[in-house]
Amino acid sequence: MGGMTLLTAVWRGAWLEPVYPRVVRAETAIRKLPPEQDGLVIAVLSDFHFRRPEPVMKRVAGVIRREKPDLVVMLGDYRDRRLADFPECDVSRYLALCREGVPALGIRGNHDADLEAAGSGDTPAMLAAAGIPLLAGDRVVLQLRGKPLQICGAGGGADAWYEMTCALAERDPSLPVIGLAHSPEVIGGLPVAPPDLMICGHTHNGQIRLPFLRDILEALNREWQLNFDHGVYELPQTVLAVTSGLGMTRLPFRWRNPCEVLLLTLRTADGP
Ligand SMILES: [Fe+2]
């Protein structure tokens, strides 16, 4: 009996949860969003950490094909610094596969930045081969549903705050602005007003979520802040959306935390 339970747990954590993405749907209201973009859907893919991407990426492609989002954003960690021999050309092929011809934008994750710093990687070229522009301290304005959508992007690593600040400095205040940052940490410490919506990954939602661990950690240390690990957070100046991502780092295992595709629907909002 115990052996069966253990086998089931291993099957769930090593095969089921890393391979079968759950589709998480969330809505958020954005000030100044034009009525034509009410209901616009952004598919968020993050933290790929490619090691055996074929099964999961085929399913991600199926989700994108079925849901037909207006935009796909990819939030980095395409390769894992511990798996540096994973070929960049394969990353490009899988990213192109899962965007399914939908407009897409990408940013770097901390693993991508580390690999490039070690001389092992060319993230802009890797994304370009999949037809995906890389935002690294950049602002772009896309035409979606006949109206402009303003997006600022910053990657992982120590430059993330600087990059986001540079991108936001160029914002057009007449348009809503959406920020893409690898880590939700970027939302703290920005010297300028944050974007109206910030979309992040990086946390993997803990990747392996043991029962009661959160309660135990909070009991041991009341200062412990386990905020912003997964979900949509209404903050005083912005909305923060954090995805648990698709891949795994260190242990090839997810537990009580399946890989996910986040589908974020934008709604118009009144107000100053
Ligand atoms: Fe990651």
Side-chain angles (χ1 to χ4, degrees), residues 79 84 88 111-123:
R79 297 197 299 156
E88 290 190 339
H111 283 254
D112 307 309
D114 289 350
L115 282 165
E116 285 180 66
S120 168
D122 185 345
T123 308

Side-chain angles (χ1 to χ4, degrees), residues 47 49 77 110-111 182 202 204:
D47 295 276
H49 294 268
D77 282 3
N110 54 306
H111 283 254
H182 182 64
H202 183 59
H204 300 202

Side-chain angles (χ1 to χ4, degrees), residues 57 66 77 90 127 158 180 209 211:
M57 294 310 285
R66 189 175 68 241
D77 282 3
D90 282 358
L127 293 187
L180 308 178
R209 293 191 73 92

